[in-house]
Amino acid sequence: MADKTTLQYTAEHEWVQVADNEATIGITAYAAEKLGDVVFVELPAVGTEISGGTVVGEIESTKSVGELFAPFDGTITAINDAVVDSPELVNTDPFGEGWLVKVAFTALPTMLSYDEYSAIVGE
């Protein structure tokens, strides 16, 4: 499990963990809780070029359908097949086994710190 205090966050309730020029992206526990029981996850194919702010995936729950937004420009380098096969991982371990995609990037925008994100969601 990633240390959520060292991650970066987006206003769209995604967390980002950066290592070199690759970022692992998932949705926060807050987002997973608001979605309810996740039953389906659709992710882009490896090699897909993504643009910041665009929809790149879908997370469907028993209550609603949520969209996964690209937090920045890049190329998908990996997807979490375990989440596609077992979507409930998004609920049970959103900061660990429930990660969604890995993205190679050249530049990152300014994102929210843990404290800034916590203030937004009231944690």
Side-chain angles (χ1 to χ4, degrees), residues 6 23 29 36 41 48 91 106 117 123:
T6 63
V41 175
T48 301
N91 296 110
T106 53
Y117 180 74
E123 288 184 354

Side-chain angles (χ1 to χ4, degrees), residues 89-114:
L89 288 171
V90 172
N91 296 110
T92 60
D93 193 10
F95 293 102
E97 295 297 315
W99 66 273
L100 299 172
V101 297
K102 293 186 183 218
V103 178
F105 61 87
T106 53
L108 288 175
T110 301
M111 290 182 269
L112 302 170
S113 70
Y114 174 74

Side-chain angles (χ1 to χ4, degrees), residues 9 113-123:
Y9 296 85
S113 70
Y114 174 74
D115 291 338
E116 291 167 329
Y117 180 74
S118 293
I120 291 171
V121 298
E123 288 184 354

Side-chain angles (χ1 to χ4, degrees), residues 32-95:
E33 182 181 318
K34 292 297 179 195
L35 275 171
D37 294 333
V38 175
V39 295
F40 177 76
V41 175
E42 180 180 88
L43 300 172
V46 171
T48 301
E49 298 286 327
I50 60 172
S51 297
T54 62
V55 175
V56 296
E58 196 171 272
I59 303 168
E60 196 172 310
S61 73
T62 54
K63 295 194 312 191
S64 66
V65 176
E67 296 174 324
L68 175 64
F69 290 91
F72 40 77
D73 297 348
T75 303
I76 301 291
T77 58
I79 65 167
N80 187 350
D81 290 321
V83 164
V84 173
D85 294 338
S86 301
E88 65 276 5
L89 288 171
V90 172
N91 296 110
T92 60
D93 193 10
F95 293 102

